[in-house]
Amino acid sequence: MRTKTLYAIGIILVLLALQGCSSHPEEGLLQRYFNAIKLKDIATMSSMAVDPIAIDVDNWNITAVSEEKASATNLADLAKLEADLKKKLEGHAGPVVEAQDLMFSAKEKYDSARSGGAKSAAKKEMEEATANFEKERELHRQIQKEYNDASAMAKKEEDTTLFSLGNRDMTNARDLAGMVYAKEVDVAVKGTDGTTKNYRFHLKRYELRDETINLTHRGRWVIINFETLN
């Protein structure tokens, strides 16, 4: 009986320990990250941080942890915006070419005009056609920039999502809804020179739900970036 009781107590203690570890994932994550820094293990650092950066560290301690924030993922929305802008960009190619053709045609008419009246009328037509082409070209450039920005944002969010999920080969991440969890961790880091600097680490964890196969993809906490506080 005594053996069974001790065994049960041991199981309870293990479960409590595991629960305690899982409730403070930032501690284990930062412990592994700083250990990797000390070992100059770039590969391990890269497995935990989106943009791994080495910090001069002798020892460190967490000074503050923000409340965990949860929000719906926006990868699907960013992907839709990218697709919509791509369609808009492709659709505007025609008006640009048409405006350019009209400008060239007006220029040819101006060059071939002989009388003063014809020359004056052709010049006005050429100037209007040129102004219209420049307007359409500038609009196309704006749409191109919007598309490039949206594409970059979608790619960055997709890369971060897959990094947290630990599956860079997932092909349908942009089609799935889910949640993203975020928190900030302030850390005091004492360097090898004895000086202390304070940093704020931004952490995130993603979850995506695939309803077609009734599966939730649960990601891990990763370091998105960090900033120097002093």
Side-chain angles (χ1 to χ4, degrees):
M1 179 66 70
R2 178 180 175 80
T3 301
K4 291 183 178 180
T5 301
L6 291 174
Y7 179 78
I9 293 175
I11 292 295
I12 293 173
L13 290 175
V14 169
L15 292 175
L16 288 174
L18 290 174
Q19 183 178 5
C21 290
S22 62
S23 63
H24 300 287
E26 64 277 356
E27 294 180 4
L29 176 62
L30 293 179
Q31 179 68 61
R32 294 192 300 275
Y33 189 74
F34 283 120
N35 285 344
I37 289 178
K38 291 180 179 180
L39 295 173
K40 298 182 180 180
D41 187 348
I42 304 299
T44 299
M45 291 166 59
S46 299
S47 70
M48 292 181 283
V50 174
D51 295 310
I53 299 177
I55 300 173
D56 178 35
V57 56
D58 181 43
N59 57 68
W60 59 278
N61 67 284
I62 295 175
T63 58
V65 180
S66 70
E67 291 186 5
E68 184 177 306
K69 297 179 181 179
S71 59
T73 57
N74 65 344
L75 179 56
D77 293 336
L78 290 174
K80 183 179 184 305
L81 176 62
E82 179 187 7
D84 290 345
L85 286 171
K86 181 180 181 181
K87 184 177 180 180
K88 183 178 180 180
L89 181 65
E90 292 172 346
H92 190 253
V96 174
V97 173
E98 182 180 352
Q100 186 179 49
D101 290 343
L102 290 174
M103 179 183 68
F104 288 154
S105 177
K107 187 177 185 304
E108 290 177 356
K109 186 182 294 186
Y110 173 78
D111 291 339
S112 62
R114 293 293 178 262
S115 67
K119 200 79 171 176
S120 178
K123 180 181 179 182
K124 181 179 179 182
E125 181 180 344
M126 181 181 66
E127 290 174 345
E128 290 176 350
T130 300
N132 183 61
F133 168 68
E134 291 176 349
K135 182 187 71 173
E136 293 295 340
R137 183 174 59 179
E138 180 58 30
L139 178 58
H140 196 77
R141 286 173 177 168
Q142 292 176 7
I143 299 173
Q144 180 73 64
K145 183 180 184 305
E146 291 175 3
Y147 168 71
N148 290 344
D149 291 344
S151 181
M153 286 191 296
K155 182 65 167 59
K156 181 178 180 180
E157 186 65 15
E158 181 179 32
D159 288 345
T160 303
T161 301
L162 298 182
F163 184 63
S164 172
L165 295 176
N167 184 2
R168 295 184 183 275
D169 297 325
M170 182 183 291
T171 58
N172 64 336
R174 294 187 174 211
D175 303 323
L176 305 181
M179 298 293 293
V180 56
Y181 304 89
K183 65 170 61 178
E184 298 173 353
V185 183
D186 291 350
V187 182
V189 179
K190 184 178 180 180
T192 54
D193 61 356
T195 61
T196 298
K197 292 184 178 180
N198 295 294
Y199 298 90
R200 176 164 294 161
F201 286 76
H202 298 268
L203 312 182
K204 284 186 178 181
R205 182 177 72 83
Y206 288 77
E207 286 186 4
L208 294 182
R209 177 68 181 172
D210 192 337
E211 297 293 350
T212 59
I213 57 176
N214 193 30
L215 176 65
T216 298
H217 300 276
R218 302 185 189 280
R220 62 202 169 94
W221 285 98
V222 293
I223 302 169
I224 303 302
N225 54 47
F226 65 87
E227 57 184 301
T228 304
L229 299 181
N230 68 342

